[in-house]
Amino acid sequence: MDLEARIAKARKLYNARLQESPEREGKIKKDYNDFLYALTSYREGKTIAFIASEIGRSRCTVYSWLKHAFPMHLIDKTKGAKKIDKKKLVKSKRFAYVLGFYQARARKIDRNDLSIKSCKPATLDSFVENMRFLFGDVRVQKKNSIYHIGYSSTRLMEFIKEITEDNTRIPDYISRNKGFIQAYLRGFFDSRLSITHTRITIKSSRFTREHPIAFVSKKNQQLLLQIRNALADLGICCSSYEKVLIIRRLKDIERFLRLGLVSNPKYARLNKLYTNHIELMKVDKNGEFEKVLEEIDKEKKDCQVKQQRKPILSC
């Protein structure tokens, strides 16, 4: 039976239920409209998680509708998907990156939905690329400011919820391994890092220096403390104020960049601020560059004065 025939059958069932229970017309009509929307949306490529969130239904309900409308081998990202290989995931730095990226954005972990909130597309690209490497085909659907991620494995979110203790800690197997913790932190900072600068001017110079600052703000203070400890283990000192973690010292920012704990485009921006600041410090240490410019200005003025005093020859 093709899809159109199944929709026609659902229409007949809808009319029969209306005749049996006219007092329930509102609910029956909503069920039918949601059913049609789920079928057409899935055929357009939307994920089950996205469809369920739009119509306010559980993923199990949407799956059961699709199961009766499509051949089983065409339905993925649901109960029919393959189970995750936990042993393979815990050996993958890509999964450590994915975990760090997701934990940076999540508050509480939903067992039934992988979603990333308020994230720029350029920032999300690296997360999706690693998800595709791990799980094959990955679908991304945006609703308002939330990206819903569809993937071809089951029980992933339950596994993440379990090993992170509901997003309150970094898994032990990651924190004990330097390579894994660096991949995890790269994902975390790619997802959440903010970059700014403060303007400073030393007393003997008129040049303003832009001192780079990297910081992360997150309400989950338990996880933020774990991130701070992980950075300390890597030799990076940072300060924290309530729900904000700040990397301010130049030598810490230099080590942060050297260890590759953030990727482009954030790496490029932070590195540019750091490099410009260091170069200006070299040429203007203790106001030396200012003195050189003053000497140049003085020579220019002396030259102009000499030219003005030069006699004008007449014929």
Side-chain angles (χ1 to χ4, degrees), residues 175 178 181-182 185 189 226-239 246-261:
S175 58
K178 185 176 180 180
I181 193 62
Q182 286 182 218
L185 291 173
F189 289 118
Q226 295 253 315
I227 297 296
R228 182 180 181 179
N229 293 338
L231 287 172
D233 290 340
L234 293 174
I236 299 172
C237 180
C238 53
S239 54
I246 304 173
I247 305 173
R248 189 186 301 271
R249 296 193 308 179
L250 286 175
K251 68 177 185 178
D252 293 319
I253 289 177
E254 185 273 334
R255 184 165 179 79
F256 182 84
L257 290 168
R258 182 158 49 84
L259 291 175
L261 299 186

Side-chain angles (χ1 to χ4, degrees), residues 38-57:
L39 265 58
T40 53
S41 296
Y42 189 80
R43 186 164 56 177
E44 292 170 358
K46 294 182 179 179
T47 65
I48 288 180
F50 178 78
I51 296 169
S53 66
E54 278 209 321
I55 61 179
R57 303 277 186 159

Side-chain angles (χ1 to χ4, degrees), residues 116-131:
I116 305 293
K117 186 178 180 181
S118 302
C119 185
K120 294 181 180 180
T123 303
L124 189 67
D125 286 345
S126 57
F127 174 81
V128 174
E129 178 185 344
N130 282 284
M131 281 289 293

